[in-house]
Amino acid sequence: MPISLDLFGREGFMKAARRASEVLKRWVSSGEPITIISHVDADGITAASIIASCLYRLEVPFRARIVPWLDRDMVEELASGPEGPIVFTDIGSSYMNLLAEGLGTREVLVLDHHPPVGKPPPGWVEVNPHNHGLDGTSDVSGAGVAYLVVREFGDEMRDLAPLAVIGALGDLQDRREDRSLGGLNEIAVEDAVGLGLVEVSKDLVFYGRETRPIHKAMAYTSSPYIPGISYQEDNAFAVLAKAGIKVKEDDRWRTVSDLSEEEKKRLLDTIAGFLASRGHSPELVNKLVGTVYTLVGEEPWTPLRDAREFASLLNACARMEKPDVGIAVCMGDRSRGLEEALSLLEEYRSRLARCFAKMQEPGVVEELGRLVVVHGGSWMSDRMVAAVASIVSSGMAGSGKVLVVYAFEEDGKHAKISARVPPEGPEIDIGALMRDLAARFSGLGGGHDVAAGARIPADSVSDFIRALGEALGKAEARKS
Ligand SMILES: [Mn+2]
């Protein structure tokens, strides 16, 4: 296949974004209602909100639907649903064959950053960094792709840039020096800074560093997950005491931003010691210092002020199956929508806190060779399995292990299983493994190379986990 050089790199990507914006402009001028389909996470919610805000301003009717994945049934439903063009954001490229088959005759844009599988049918425009030799995990997120498309409409869309920053952070794209955003994400950062909407600085990345008591800020931090401290206020409090840091000044709780440089250093050293004493890598503390993105127009004391916290608010909406609330907040709702989002966040956090408290009990977390197993059994809600797996695995970077979390569904007949390959983990396609194994145990499974899930009969769980451990061993042996 000939490789066209003008497709390559940033220029090639921007050309595709421009083409997509031309298509979108054409749809806008026809006035037909536009359907937005996006992915159920912080990046997907911000991506959908960017397109929705653009259409709202141009007075074009739209509907948005947030989905966890795409399958044949969903595509058929879309095909038989309302007419009109469809924009996929943060999802679609990996399902191109399925989409082409079911929606080939429709007008479609795919604005995604996941690895493409298959080619778009004639007439469709796909904007995806992978098509231009760029990196979909750190150069641009789904929200960034959507932003770079609507940016072509003119300067009046540039105030949507903070949403692209939030989406990229929600997608954990802060992989450059000092946990900063880079690549095409930088365009959104520069636009947001240029408009005075975002300030970039360097600090401890604890959540609520300007607003919460320090031990709460530490316990609220889940990116990265700090084993023993995330979701565990009492341990955070104990670490502060050990570091000899005053938590109150007169009657007022101090915040992370009140700490002197010397105190910050002492705190990090003490956390490193705490991690080491529990058998975790103390290197993790390096990830606690980094670039922070402050949305200066947002009220202090709300989680909207810090872009990472904003992303975790959206993530909570997604995990609590209310992504529409997240979209409302992204589109500017600071009354009822925000109130509802805050209570979803509270509920989500307390569920997680219960899970992490339980995981301190003996026998709940077990190491079985290359596997770390969290036995969620019937105490963990099956709806928390994926969230717990994602958070715990983010704290297992470089451990060389694979994480499995399972819980039984309410009726006790089935189990939900989530598996994760942590960052810098073994090179294994966990999605394929889970799919094959689930089928062997008369269940259903699948996913990506680093994150996958399955649903199988409850009484097969221990056999399933044993088989997964063996399969991992074989996959490793094949490689060496
Ligand atoms: Mn994404």
Side-chain angles (χ1 to χ4, degrees):
M1 196 175 70
I3 293 176
S4 159
L5 274 181
D6 64 341
L7 279 179
F8 202 70
R10 193 181 268 228
E11 272 72 56
F13 176 91
M14 292 309 251
K15 224 181 255 179
R18 219 163 294 137
R19 268 178 58 218
S21 79
E22 294 309 325
V23 171
L24 196 55
K25 281 178 196 164
R26 184 154 51 73
W27 294 353
V28 163
S29 60
S30 86
E32 254 187 299
I34 294 174
T35 303
I36 305 166
I37 307 288
S38 197
H39 187 218
V40 63
D41 60 17
D43 188 32
I45 289 174
T46 44
S49 303
I50 287 168
I51 301 294
S53 301
C54 169
L55 297 177
Y56 180 78
R57 290 171 183 187
L58 299 170
E59 296 179 35
V60 178
F62 65 88
R63 51 184 97 77
R65 191 164 159 207
I66 306 288
V67 299
W69 60 76
L70 292 167
D71 57 27
R72 205 166 292 272
D73 289 347
M74 251 182 251
V75 173
E76 267 168 29
E77 203 188 312
L78 272 175
S80 61
E83 303 273 304
I86 306 173
V87 190
F88 289 91
T89 55
D90 195 35
I91 196 165
S93 285
S94 347
Y95 301 92
M96 198 56 93
N97 294 330
L98 189 69
L99 296 180
E101 201 180 300
L103 298 164
T105 56
R106 295 282 287 269
E107 292 198 279
V108 172
L109 284 178
V110 178
L111 316 180
D112 196 2
H113 70 126
H114 295 100
V117 176
K119 273 200 169 315
W124 291 21
V125 177
E126 178 186 43
V127 188
N128 189 314
H130 292 275
N131 294 339
H132 310 282
L134 302 172
D135 180 354
T137 64
S138 72
D139 281 332
V140 70
S141 76
V145 176
Y147 175 67
L148 292 171
V149 171
V150 307
R151 192 176 185 265
E152 296 290 332
F153 277 70
D155 287 352
E156 67 274 19
M157 296 297 169
R158 292 212 179 179
D159 61 334
L160 299 172
L163 290 174
V165 175
I166 295 162
L169 291 169
D171 208 72
L172 309 182
Q173 301 219 339
D174 51 345
R175 292 156 184 254
R176 304 295 161 97
E177 210 187 332
D178 295 324
R179 293 193 63 185
S180 65
L181 295 171
L184 292 164
N185 286 319
E186 232 160 10
I187 299 175
V189 174
E190 279 165 15
D191 286 353
V193 170
L195 287 173
L197 298 171
V198 164
E199 268 171 28
V200 182
S201 54
K202 214 176 288 168
D203 201 352
L204 299 182
V205 295
F206 292 128
Y207 278 20
R209 54 181 206 290
E210 293 179 324
T211 54
R212 287 197 194 98
I214 305 164
H215 62 287
K216 285 198 190 275
M218 291 164 67
Y220 270 45
T221 301
S222 59
S223 168
Y225 171 69
I226 320 164
I229 292 179
S230 295
Y231 302 98
Q232 286 175 274
E233 267 177 41
D234 40 349
N235 284 347
F237 207 86
V239 165
L240 279 172
K242 185 143 193 250
I245 289 171
K246 267 203 312 186
V247 291
K248 280 190 171 179
E249 189 82 67
D250 301 323
D251 265 349
R252 197 182 65 86
W253 288 104
R254 299 174 77 203
T255 66
V256 171
S257 57
D258 293 328
L259 294 176
S260 69
E261 288 308 309
E262 194 274 325
E263 283 176 312
K264 285 179 185 171
K265 202 183 161 300
R266 215 174 338 130
L267 178 56
L268 289 178
D269 288 344
T270 312
I271 294 172
F274 173 86
L275 290 171
S277 74
R278 295 175 151 232
H280 299 291
S281 162
E283 304 283 307
L284 186 68
V285 294
N286 298 331
K287 296 206 169 139
L288 296 175
V289 189
T291 311
V292 292
Y293 299 85
T294 307
L295 291 124
V296 289
E298 301 291 349
E299 291 289 332
W301 306 101
T302 70
L304 308 182
R305 178 96 176 166
D306 178 282
R308 280 190 188 84
E309 282 186 70
F310 199 137
S312 64
L313 177 80
L314 298 178
N315 186 47
C317 294
R319 295 282 190 195
M320 299 295 286
E321 298 175 12
K322 291 271 173 67
D324 48 316
V325 176
I327 293 183
V329 174
C330 288
M331 292 184 72
D333 185 337
R334 295 292 177 271
S335 52
R336 283 224 346 244
L338 178 57
E339 233 166 77
E340 197 178 346
L342 290 173
S343 68
L344 289 171
L345 177 65
E346 241 4 86
E347 173 61 23
Y348 177 65
R349 279 193 186 286
S350 68
R351 284 189 192 184
L352 279 178
R354 285 198 293 274
C355 290
F356 285 108
K358 188 84 183 172
M359 281 166 55
Q360 300 301 301
E361 292 177 11
V364 174
V365 183
E366 191 185 4
E367 293 210 16
L368 290 170
R370 301 312 295 274
L371 279 181
V372 174
V373 185
V374 177
H375 297 282
S378 38
W379 59 264
M380 187 187 288
S381 154
D382 62 291
R383 289 165 66 184
M384 296 305 287
V385 167
V388 169
S390 296
I391 296 168
V392 173
S393 84
S394 75
M396 287 170 55
S399 65
K401 307 252 177 191
V402 169
L403 175 72
V404 185
V405 183
Y406 73 88
F408 300 125
E409 291 177 4
E410 229 160 274
D411 65 6
K413 290 187 184 131
H414 287 89
K416 285 256 172 62
I417 308 178
S418 268
R420 297 286 183 275
V421 179
E424 298 140 52
E427 266 179 52
I428 288 157
D429 184 350
I430 197 76
L433 265 182
M434 291 284 278
R435 187 185 57 232
D436 296 348
L437 275 179
R440 203 202 295 172
F441 288 92
S442 11
L444 263 179
H448 303 287
D449 49 350
V450 295
R455 179 174 185 262
I456 62 165
D459 52 13
S460 314
V461 166
S462 25
D463 292 337
F464 181 97
I465 289 174
R466 193 171 324 115
L468 181 61
E470 283 165 13
L472 282 177
K474 272 188 211 147
E476 292 274 286
R478 259 201 306 278
K479 269 190 356 219
S480 53

